[in-house]
Amino acid sequence: MLKQTAEYSIAIVDDHPVVIEGLRTLLQGVPGISSMHAFTTGGEFMDWLEHHTADIVLLDIMLPDVNGLDLCKDIKLAAPETIVLAVSNQAERSMILQILQNGASGYLLKNASAAEFRRCLEEALSGGVAFSREVREILARPGRAELKAPAALTRREKQILQLVTEGKTTTGIAKELHLSPLTVETHRRNMMQKLEVKNAAELIMAAVQRKLL
């Protein structure tokens, strides 16, 4: 359990009210938690953070107004002492590694048990990097060097990359792969970060040079 001698404030950033209420219920009565605040967009939370503090942020990766991977970096720049725990349905290794690189202190899948959530909170507050069971299995407990290494393209990213080279728009790709435009944009941005490029033209050129197509 969390230490009863200290008090922590928690911010939940997720656009699904059911998830927010579920997390509130899960955390109610946990010793050490003094307050909980909920936000449905990244912009709303960042505005709040300008005048308030949160010890822990439970952050969804897929938000309606911002990429959660980038938001994590913004949170750590604005409030370096704030602990960010990603809470997501996304189980792709590349996303897990990238948000850890951007300053997160852990990653939990939304199907984690109440006991796992509480354990991860304690681990993060103790200065560790916390993973739910399934995430541990995905990462197999990587070392620090692996966390800093560029991640390879996932199968989905390669699918989107191929469609980008065919001149498809984000909307077109989303329809063809039955994804949301935000998800497609997240994958595109991930690929550009991995290949260290700034636009679609450079992305295609880098992909050709590295024989990713």
Side-chain angles (χ1 to χ4, degrees), residues 48 88 116 123 130 132:
W48 179 86
S88 177
E116 285 184 289
E123 285 184 10
S132 62

Side-chain angles (χ1 to χ4, degrees), residues 114-136:
E116 285 184 289
F117 268 93
R118 294 177 181 182
R119 174 183 57 75
C120 287
L121 284 176
E122 173 134 16
E123 285 184 10
L125 286 167
S126 299
V129 179
F131 304 121
S132 62
R133 179 182 56 80
E134 288 189 41
V135 173
R136 287 202 307 271

Side-chain angles (χ1 to χ4, degrees), residues 15-140:
D15 63 327
H16 295 92
V18 171
V19 173
I20 290 175
E21 288 308 308
L23 289 173
R24 281 185 181 277
T25 300
L26 184 152
L27 296 171
Q28 277 180 350
V30 173
I33 296 178
S34 59
S35 61
M36 286 186 279
H37 311 272
F39 308 87
T40 55
T41 68
E44 182 185 7
F45 172 67
M46 291 304 293
D47 288 343
W48 179 86
L49 192 61
E50 289 183 6
H51 306 289
H52 304 81
T53 60
D55 296 301
I56 309 166
V57 179
L58 301 179
L59 175 65
D60 190 10
I61 287 181
M62 297 297 184
L63 296 168
D65 64 329
V66 66
N67 181 332
L69 302 175
D70 293 336
L71 181 59
C72 177
K73 186 181 294 185
D74 293 340
I75 293 170
K76 296 301 290 186
L77 286 173
E81 299 303 314
T82 294
I83 295 169
V84 178
L85 289 178
V87 182
S88 177
N89 284 322
Q90 302 298 316
E92 291 190 19
R93 182 185 179 87
S94 63
M95 287 191 178
I96 299 169
L97 291 173
Q98 284 191 13
I99 201 163
L100 292 172
Q101 291 170 348
N102 287 355
S105 294
Y107 198 107
L108 299 84
L109 294 183
K110 288 183 178 179
N111 63 0
S113 67
E116 285 184 289
F117 268 93
R118 294 177 181 182
R119 174 183 57 75
C120 287
L121 284 176
E122 173 134 16
E123 285 184 10
L125 286 167
S126 299
V129 179
F131 304 121
S132 62
R133 179 182 56 80
E134 288 189 41
V135 173
R136 287 202 307 271
E137 293 172 358
I138 293 169
L139 295 179

Side-chain angles (χ1 to χ4, degrees), residues 138-160:
I138 293 169
L139 295 179
R141 291 292 190 185
R144 292 181 178 273
E146 184 178 356
L147 291 178
K148 295 179 180 179
L153 296 189
T154 65
R155 180 182 60 81
R156 179 67 80 186
E157 288 169 347
K158 290 178 180 178
Q159 284 181 318
I160 293 173

